[in-house]
Amino acid sequence: MYKKLLVFATIFILAGIFLKLYQNFDGSKTLNKTASYYAKNGASEVGSTNIVTAIVVTYRGFDTLGEVTILFVAAAIIGFFLKTNAKGTNRIRNLRFSSEIMITASKILMPIMFLIGAYVFVNGHLSPGGGFQGGAIIASGVAFFLLANPTLSVNHKVLSVLESTSGLIFVLLGIAGLIYGGGFLDNRVLPLGKFGTLFSAGIIPLVYSFIGLKVGAELSNIISSLQQIQKEE
Amino acid sequence: MEYIGLITGFILVILGIWGFLTQKNILKMIIGFTISDTGINVIIVSISYLKNRTAPILNRPDLLTDTVNKITDPVPQALVLTAIVIGVGVTALMLSYALRLYQEKNTLDINNFKDLKW
Amino acid sequence: MIFNLLAILLGISTIVFALVAIYTKKLIFAILATGGVSLFASILYLLMAAPDVALTEAAIGSGLTTLIFLFILNKIKEEDV
Amino acid sequence: MKILDITGAILTLIGSIFIFLGALGVLRMPDVYNRIQTGTKASTLGTMLTLTGIGMIHPGWFGKIAILIIFIAITNPVSSHVLARAAHFINIPLTSKTVVDKLRESKIEEMENALKLEEEQKNDF
């Protein structure tokens, strides 16, 4: 009873705060100073068609580095917590065989899904999408293949090598920006190129591809740790 | 449009917090957390919306001149992009803790975990 | 006008799915309803001129999160809860 | 140009009629398996026709629409097949008008074969 009263009080205070916020909100009419700077100079300084990509990779590149690190730490802790007992005390569960149609379709569809993921993160500076979305699509391709073939498992060595190599190249590209450009992750290391084509915007396509590979490897790592525990009784 | 997004986001946040304060099952509490996460993202995106403007992608030549008055605010969208990706990592982490707790005590009821209570 | 109507419909269905997710007894319905909340929210993002966020929410929030929840649910027996 | 527009509109209309019939079938059919079957067959053809019609109205999008049609042709039948198979394995009942159930027969046959094999191995010892 006492606990329920406390919960009600919390919800009411929160609702009151939200009501006050809603009454004072009257829809902003113009961009603020930072956003108008990005809108005015994004095309000429960075050369990227998609302004959100310009902010994520170049103007706020340091945030992205921290975010990828958080994802890496989460994947490492999950792998540590769900570690399977390798001593053989756990029996292997008797899994149901998947049907022939499902296996064939997964063999056809997985390369296409990888291709779509690569398309999404290579074209991140031209269209909506980028490294995080492409990495998620690659990880769902891996998950689909593991669902269709429950007896297989992913090689963790390959994933960790891929993940750490792309992370290292990401940091090295940032340091190259520090030396040849104006600061960490400055994209004017390579020439800006013609606006609106694939090979433009300096190093943004390169950086986004490596972010995509890193995120895809981390999410596949999480999924394969979760799939590993399905097998034991 | 921005008012609709704002109201939806506020109600989602309140429902999520109500869910993880009242439910007894740990998985249901994690579901409540996920819902309030979505609600906060909806609020931030609806604040970035400006009337009669297009998305911040300059793929037409007429958008290159006087860009400031033609696109919506790109900064909150970049923030939300980051928040969603971190959200899935946090959710997976909480779920793996929940599975560990279940393997330890064979239950998911929050009332059975009193080890730190005094 | 038509977009405002569509946005109102999407908002109402998002809230209904959230209510189902919190109050249903079976865990599998709650998990699927959470995926539905993310899916409707992603269309709402698309209407509010944020295609980047919409793509991320549809790929990650609606796809991968539901998959991870289902992986965990497979290891938990329903009657123990 | 005009003819292409009209053809696209007619194709879109036929596609939406097929999708409506699929939805009606989901309401009318007696059990899970029949519902899955109507929902898949009608909506696959309906979606393909609608997409082709949109591609005729906007000829610039035709490449993307071709990729979408290939994806629907692969994924839609496979997913419904897996759904129906999973429903059969957790013993969801069939309707009383069912005449033949090949999957159950093959399952029973498999179990009998396994039993026979065990008996023979016992006799060997």
Side-chain angles (χ1 to χ4, degrees):
Chain A
M1 190 60 217
Y2 183 66
K3 220 188 259 175
K4 235 174 195 164
L5 219 65
L6 217 59
V7 171
F8 265 113
T10 314
I11 294 293
F12 269 117
I13 291 171
L14 206 65
I17 293 171
F18 282 163
L19 199 66
K20 198 75 190 164
L21 281 178
Y22 177 74
Q23 280 169 352
N24 292 338
F25 178 76
D26 56 340
S28 43
K29 298 287 181 293
T30 54
L31 298 183
N32 57 15
K33 211 171 163 190
T34 321
S36 57
Y37 177 83
Y38 292 156
K40 209 181 289 171
N41 302 324
S44 55
E45 261 184 16
V46 182
S48 157
T49 309
N50 191 343
I51 304 282
V52 177
T53 301
I55 293 173
V56 168
V57 178
T58 301
Y59 288 122
R60 293 267 177 270
F62 221 66
D63 282 2
T64 309
L65 185 60
E67 177 197 359
V68 174
T69 313
I70 289 176
L71 209 58
F72 167 69
V73 171
I77 295 175
I78 289 169
F80 171 71
F81 254 90
L82 299 181
K83 202 167 59 179
T84 51
N85 209 346
K87 282 176 187 168
T89 49
N90 291 321
R91 281 178 298 140
I92 302 288
R93 204 206 272 190
N94 203 2
L95 292 164
R96 187 189 303 151
F97 281 105
S98 12
S99 67
E100 192 73 36
I101 298 173
M102 178 86 179
I103 294 173
T104 314
S106 78
K107 275 176 191 158
I108 295 172
L109 271 181
M110 196 180 73
I112 303 179
M113 279 169 97
F114 279 11
L115 199 66
I116 286 181
Y119 175 84
V120 166
F121 63 62
V122 167
N123 278 292
H125 59 299
L126 298 178
S127 57
F132 302 112
Q133 292 93 328
I137 291 173
I138 285 180
S140 29
V142 171
F144 179 57
F145 193 71
L146 288 179
L147 277 178
N149 307 290
T151 50
L152 295 183
S153 56
V154 181
N155 193 347
H156 278 271
K157 276 252 163 63
V158 174
L159 279 185
S160 66
V161 167
L162 181 67
E163 195 265 327
S164 45
T165 318
S166 43
L168 190 69
I169 294 174
F170 177 34
V171 175
L172 284 181
L173 282 173
I175 292 174
L178 203 59
I179 296 170
Y180 296 107
F184 190 71
L185 274 174
D186 196 319
N187 72 328
R188 283 167 294 187
V189 177
L190 295 175
L192 286 188
K194 189 172 175 296
F195 183 80
T197 53
L198 182 60
F199 293 104
S200 65
I203 58 169
I204 282 184
L206 267 178
V207 171
Y208 237 2
S209 314
F210 286 113
I211 291 175
L213 283 179
K214 193 168 160 60
V215 170
E218 281 156 354
L219 291 177
S220 324
N221 214 335
I222 293 177
I223 284 173
S224 73
S225 324
L226 286 170
Q227 187 248 357
Q228 206 73 37
I229 59 167
Q230 307 292 318
K231 291 181 188 171
E232 55 188 55
E233 192 80 38
Chain B
M1 187 80 80
E2 60 264 46
Y3 291 99
I4 299 164
L6 211 62
I7 294 171
T8 311
F10 284 157
I11 295 177
L12 280 183
V13 171
I14 289 178
L15 275 179
I17 289 176
W18 171 255
F20 74 68
L21 284 179
T22 54
Q23 294 290 326
K24 295 281 187 292
N25 189 343
I26 294 181
L27 273 183
K28 280 292 196 62
M29 292 165 78
I30 297 172
I31 284 173
F33 180 84
T34 313
I35 288 172
S36 70
D37 194 9
T38 309
I40 289 171
N41 292 338
V42 172
I43 292 174
I44 297 175
V45 171
S46 66
I47 286 174
S48 88
Y49 179 77
L50 300 171
K51 223 174 177 119
N52 296 328
R53 298 196 183 193
T54 61
I57 296 172
L58 314 175
N59 51 4
R60 291 203 310 269
D62 62 304
L63 286 174
L64 284 174
T65 55
D66 194 21
T67 315
V68 179
N69 290 323
K70 282 177 183 166
I71 62 170
T72 56
D73 198 349
V75 182
Q77 295 188 13
L79 290 180
V80 172
L81 201 74
T82 312
I84 290 173
V85 180
I86 290 181
V88 70
V90 172
T91 309
L93 195 58
M94 287 195 293
L95 280 170
S96 70
Y97 284 148
L99 184 67
R100 212 68 186 150
L101 288 176
Y102 175 77
Q103 284 172 347
E104 198 71 29
K105 293 209 168 172
N106 261 330
T107 177
L108 271 180
D109 197 336
I110 194 72
N111 288 331
N112 292 333
F113 295 97
K114 291 180 176 166
D115 299 349
L116 278 180
K117 213 170 181 180
W118 48 278
Chain C
M1 186 58 214
I2 185 86
F3 284 119
N4 274 334
L5 212 66
L6 191 60
I8 291 173
L9 267 178
L10 282 172
I12 290 172
S13 42
T14 313
I15 292 164
V16 168
F17 268 66
L19 277 174
V20 169
I22 290 173
Y23 280 108
T24 184
K25 281 277 182 291
K26 277 201 131 184
L27 278 174
I28 181 98
F29 293 150
I31 290 167
L32 291 180
T34 317
V37 170
S38 280
L39 204 61
F40 285 121
S42 97
I43 308 172
L44 207 57
Y45 292 146
L46 195 64
L47 284 182
M48 289 193 285
D52 273 293
V53 185
L55 190 55
T56 316
E57 181 80 38
I60 294 180
S62 178
L64 275 181
T65 311
T66 313
L67 194 73
I68 292 172
F69 266 112
L70 288 179
F71 267 139
I72 295 290
L73 186 69
N74 194 14
K75 291 294 286 182
I76 290 170
K77 291 192 193 71
E78 190 93 20
E79 57 266 24
D80 287 351
V81 179
Chain D
M1 200 62 209
K2 207 71 173 171
I3 296 171
L4 217 58
D5 273 5
I6 293 172
T7 323
I10 291 172
L11 276 181
T12 313
L13 184 69
I14 297 173
S16 52
I17 289 173
F18 269 107
I19 295 177
F20 170 73
L21 288 179
L24 197 68
V26 170
L27 274 182
R28 297 272 303 163
M29 284 291 169
D31 69 343
V32 177
Y33 307 98
N34 284 320
R35 282 177 190 172
I36 289 174
Q37 194 230 12
T38 44
T40 311
K41 269 189 181 169
S43 76
T44 307
L45 183 60
T47 318
M48 281 179 182
L49 283 176
T50 314
L51 284 174
T52 318
I54 292 172
M56 283 185 175
I57 294 171
H58 293 274
W61 299 353
F62 215 86
K64 289 174 190 175
I65 283 172
I67 294 175
L68 277 179
I69 287 176
I70 292 172
F71 259 110
I72 287 170
I74 296 176
T75 54
N76 217 348
V78 171
S79 61
S80 68
H81 156 76
V82 174
L83 270 178
R85 196 176 134 92
H88 196 281
F89 271 109
I90 59 173
N91 291 329
I92 288 179
L94 287 91
T95 175
S96 56
K97 292 172 195 160
T98 309
V99 181
V100 61
D101 187 359
K102 286 280 186 195
L103 186 54
R104 163 155 298 163
E105 286 170 15
S106 72
K107 265 195 289 187
I108 291 172
E109 213 169 279
E110 254 175 40
M111 279 162 69
E112 279 175 352
N113 281 342
L115 280 178
K116 252 182 222 166
L117 210 68
E118 265 182 26
E119 293 268 317
E120 283 174 9
Q121 279 173 351
K122 261 180 204 168
N123 290 340
D124 282 351
F125 281 114

